[in-house]
Amino acid sequence: MMKKILLIATILAIASCFGYSQTREDFIKSRNSSRQNYVAEKNKEYQKYLAEINNEFAEYLKEQWSAFDVQEGMPLPLKPQPVEPVSVIPSEGNPEDADLSPELEQILYDVVIQAEDLEMSPKEETNFEKATKFIDELQTSIIDMAPEYESSENMLSSEIYNTPINVCMSEKLSNIKLSDIHETQVGNFWNQVMTVDDNYQIIGKCQQLKENLKLNDWGYYLICKNAAENIFGDNYNEKTVYTVFLLCQSGYNAKVARCKENLIIMLPFYQNSYCQKYIESDGIKYYMFNFNDVPVTGNNTIYTYNKIFNEVNSKRLNLLINDEPQFNAKTATKALSYGNDGEIMNFNYNSNLIDYYKDYPLVDLKVYFNAALSKELSKSVKSCLQPLVEGKSEQLSVNTLLDFMYTSFDNYKSDDEQFGHEKWFFCEEMLYYPFNDCEDRAVFFANLVSKLLGLDVVLLEYPYHVAAAVCFKDDEVKGKYLMYDNKKYVVCDPTYFGAYAGLEMPEVGEPVVISR
């Protein structure tokens, strides 16, 4: 009898579990179905919303464009000096024996000027939050593409910085052509393109790649270019307009312009871009880009329009790099020697990032200072340099890192000598190029201090020089300093050879502060 009861109980338990499993499976299906319905409804809302704007904008494009005077690229801030490095002779050449700070502390100046914040007009500031929300919702909504669209006939294998990607193809789009580059034809092209349903899957794929590769707005622009290239091939003007079309649908301010016999891309940034031709419209600089990145030369006038597509929900491109781009790792190694016995340290970095940075606009120094280090370089910094500062005081640790900069990077050369023009380095580029100068060293040193010691650092941009300043938590360090954000920052100059914390290079003037 007992066995019979146990058997019945077991059967009921199994049945109960089976029933629970079925109920849970149904629940998951129901939840997924609800999610798909939500995404589909959201997509319809956006499609309807954008269709109305596109219709109006396409008609506007057909109106006569205005002539704009082309401005030569903004010159860089005054070239960092000195051309040759300046040196002091430290005590015994040993950071542990260094006591080079002046007896009296001196404040550089009371009113601190901060450089390179995002520059917005009052109107843009009002729209910025709306535009950010629009882009975030757009990405969330359309990033879930219909699985059937990712079938082989709709996808093409491509590559960006040696990283394989899949991009959407569209025969419907590739068959649309521009007969010429007159305003009417550009408007007609926009009219035809906007009616193709494939656009939303293409935008979704571009948004997905941006998210997966952790790219910023510049990276997203390159993804859109890649998509246009794969759809329109050698049709230069078509892929130019379509790149701008994708950016506009994705919530960015971008324009098409006519320059001689070709159309070009006009991009506005929140940061300054140097040595890049531009026009100015309603107080916003639009920088000129040929699709194939050939410099725009020999033309003083271009033709474009004033209207911004979906102005309330659009914003300029932000060139800050908050996350390391997730391109395939192609490891390169730089061997540096340090110490009296010339100990060799191997620093690894991702050389695919070097190619990406070569294509990056020359922008405000804050972008280079804030750029995320690659995981390869971060790992090397910790494994090679952490033992040098382990157990030391903050001041001695900073002096050790300064000494490392002086002795391991003894390859100072101005950018004019190395490149024939000014070029600022991201940290990885310090290991790639054979020479570097003051702003490159300041950026690299600042990142070492942040990564290894966890101390706050700012850059000091003097009229002819760039250095750093460190906020010590525990140590009271003598020497030149400034008060910024109610904290004391002591001057540390990795180009003033042999100088430790608190010593400022002579006759450099007053700096502007560049913070994170």
Side-chain angles (χ1 to χ4, degrees):
M1 182 67 178
M2 181 61 69
K3 288 182 179 179
K4 195 171 190 180
I5 292 172
L6 286 173
L7 179 61
I8 292 171
T10 302
I11 292 171
L12 288 173
I14 293 173
S16 173
C17 290
F18 180 74
Y20 170 77
S21 174
Q22 289 289 92
T23 303
R24 185 171 181 277
E25 186 178 320
D26 290 342
F27 170 75
I28 292 171
K29 285 181 179 179
S30 174
R31 186 180 62 181
N32 289 342
S33 176
S34 296
R35 169 66 181 164
Q36 289 170 358
N37 290 336
Y38 169 79
V39 170
E41 285 302 313
K42 207 68 173 166
N43 278 333
K44 285 179 183 178
E45 286 179 27
Y46 278 117
Q47 289 175 28
K48 183 180 178 182
Y49 172 71
L50 290 175
E52 293 173 359
I53 297 171
N54 277 310
N55 274 317
E56 180 186 340
F57 189 72
E59 294 307 308
Y60 174 81
L61 285 177
K62 297 173 188 178
E63 298 176 10
Q64 185 171 353
W65 293 359
S66 302
F68 286 82
D69 293 333
V70 175
Q71 307 296 318
E72 292 299 322
M74 290 174 58
L76 280 161
L78 291 173
K79 186 187 305 179
Q81 295 291 334
V83 175
E84 296 297 329
V86 174
S87 301
V88 296
I89 301 174
S91 173
E92 303 294 330
N94 186 341
E96 299 198 23
D97 300 328
D99 184 18
L100 302 177
S101 301
E103 289 299 320
L104 297 176
E105 296 179 345
Q106 296 175 312
I107 299 177
L108 289 178
Y109 56 115
D110 293 324
V111 180
V112 174
I113 303 172
Q114 185 173 1
E116 289 99 23
D117 280 334
L118 296 185
E119 297 177 359
M120 297 186 203
S121 67
K123 188 175 182 180
E124 271 196 311
E125 205 161 343
T126 302
N127 293 341
F128 183 82
E129 289 187 10
K130 294 180 183 177
T132 302
K133 183 179 179 182
F134 174 83
I135 293 173
D136 290 344
E137 287 185 353
L138 177 70
Q139 178 173 332
T140 303
S141 169
I142 69 175
I143 207 168
D144 297 321
M145 296 173 296
E148 62 269 17
Y149 194 85
E150 292 212 27
S151 59
S152 57
E153 65 268 20
N154 292 322
M155 304 300 292
L156 179 71
S157 295
S158 186
E159 190 176 87
I160 183 168
Y161 299 105
N162 296 315
T163 303
I165 59 174
N166 287 326
V167 294
C168 300
M169 293 299 296
S170 172
E171 188 175 348
K172 295 175 186 176
L173 285 168
S174 61
N175 288 331
I176 302 173
K177 298 291 187 291
L178 276 164
S179 57
D180 60 50
I181 58 174
H182 188 269
E183 293 96 324
T184 304
Q185 294 306 318
V186 174
N188 287 336
F189 180 84
W190 198 285
N191 261 135
Q192 294 177 70
V193 163
M194 63 178 243
T195 62
V196 178
D197 289 339
D198 295 348
N199 287 315
Y200 298 99
Q201 282 74 32
I202 293 167
I203 295 168
K205 188 63 180 178
C206 290
Q207 293 277 353
Q208 188 181 64
L209 288 169
K210 177 180 186 288
E211 185 178 78
N212 292 347
L213 296 176
K214 296 189 181 302
L215 299 178
N216 67 352
D217 293 345
W218 175 259
Y220 185 68
Y221 158 65
L222 297 179
I223 290 290
C224 291
K225 273 183 65 180
N226 185 288
E229 179 91 54
N230 283 294
I231 291 169
F232 290 98
D234 295 331
N235 295 317
Y236 180 94
N237 291 314
E238 285 84 348
K239 61 190 179 186
T240 295
V241 180
Y242 192 65
T243 300
V244 172
F245 176 85
L246 289 177
L247 288 170
C248 288
Q249 310 308 303
S250 303
Y252 294 100
N253 179 4
K255 292 185 179 183
V256 181
R258 186 169 64 247
C259 179
K260 294 183 177 179
E261 69 279 1
N262 281 320
L263 297 174
I264 59 173
I265 298 168
M266 308 293 292
L267 299 178
F269 305 136
Y270 287 116
Q271 293 78 17
N272 293 312
S273 181
Y274 300 101
C275 308
Q276 182 81 33
K277 288 189 174 185
Y278 68 93
I279 65 165
E280 195 158 339
S281 175
D282 292 333
I284 297 175
K285 293 181 177 69
Y286 289 84
Y287 297 95
M288 302 165 60
F289 291 91
N290 282 345
F291 190 89
N292 296 328
D293 300 321
V294 178
V296 179
T297 58
N299 204 59
N300 296 322
T301 305
I302 65 169
Y303 296 86
T304 188
Y305 43 90
N306 286 295
K307 186 180 178 68
I308 296 174
F309 180 88
N310 194 14
E311 182 174 6
V312 175
N313 287 314
S314 71
K315 58 183 180 179
R316 291 185 263 169
L317 279 68
N318 186 351
L319 298 185
L320 289 174
I321 303 174
N322 296 319
D323 297 304
E324 176 203 350
Q326 297 299 298
F327 301 125
N328 274 0
K330 184 182 178 185
T331 303
T333 303
K334 173 81 170 182
L336 297 173
S337 62
Y338 176 67
N340 295 330
D341 55 358
E343 178 188 353
I344 299 299
M345 300 178 178
N346 291 316
F347 287 80
N348 298 326
Y349 62 96
N350 185 356
S351 63
N352 285 331
L353 279 176
I354 301 297
D355 294 333
Y356 178 59
Y357 292 148
K358 283 178 182 176
D359 293 338
Y360 216 80
L362 183 58
V363 289
D364 290 327
L365 197 54
K366 182 165 188 171
V367 174
Y368 303 83
F369 178 37
N370 281 273
L373 295 184
S374 67
K375 55 182 175 293
E376 293 88 357
L377 180 53
S378 292
K379 186 176 179 180
S380 292
V381 163
K382 287 193 172 181
S383 63
C384 293
L385 299 181
Q386 192 74 54
L388 297 181
V389 299
E390 202 73 56
K392 293 181 179 178
S393 68
E394 290 175 349
Q395 182 175 8
L396 186 52
S397 295
V398 168
N399 285 344
T400 299
L401 293 178
L402 283 168
D403 194 56
F404 166 76
M405 294 297 300
Y406 304 142
T407 57
S408 298
F409 292 101
D410 57 351
N411 47 352
Y412 183 97
K413 185 177 282 190
S414 70
D415 290 331
D416 264 354
E417 291 179 282
Q418 183 171 192
F419 300 107
H421 58 85
E422 192 70 14
K423 174 177 172 53
W424 296 340
F425 286 174
F426 292 97
C427 284
E428 284 73 16
E429 294 180 296
M430 273 284 285
L431 303 173
Y432 175 76
Y433 291 103
F435 304 101
N436 48 72
D437 64 7
C438 62
E439 72 273 359
D440 310 323
R441 291 167 184 255
V443 167
F444 195 82
F445 167 75
N447 276 279
L448 294 185
V449 172
S450 298
K451 180 68 66 177
L452 294 169
L453 308 179
L455 299 177
D456 291 340
V457 192
V458 296
L459 296 188
L460 303 178
E461 188 172 27
Y462 298 92
Y464 296 95
H465 184 54
V466 178
V470 177
C471 178
F472 292 89
K473 293 178 184 176
D474 302 323
D475 294 357
E476 186 62 32
V477 180
K478 295 180 181 179
K480 277 291 188 77
Y481 74 97
L482 62 113
M483 296 302 296
Y484 171 72
D485 197 22
N486 296 318
K487 293 186 285 189
K488 174 183 173 181
Y489 286 82
V490 178
V491 174
C492 297
D493 191 340
T495 308
Y496 191 17
F497 282 58
Y500 296 128
L503 279 184
E504 180 191 53
M505 191 180 290
E507 300 178 359
V508 286
E510 290 188 345
V512 171
V513 173
I514 301 175
S515 65
R516 292 195 186 279

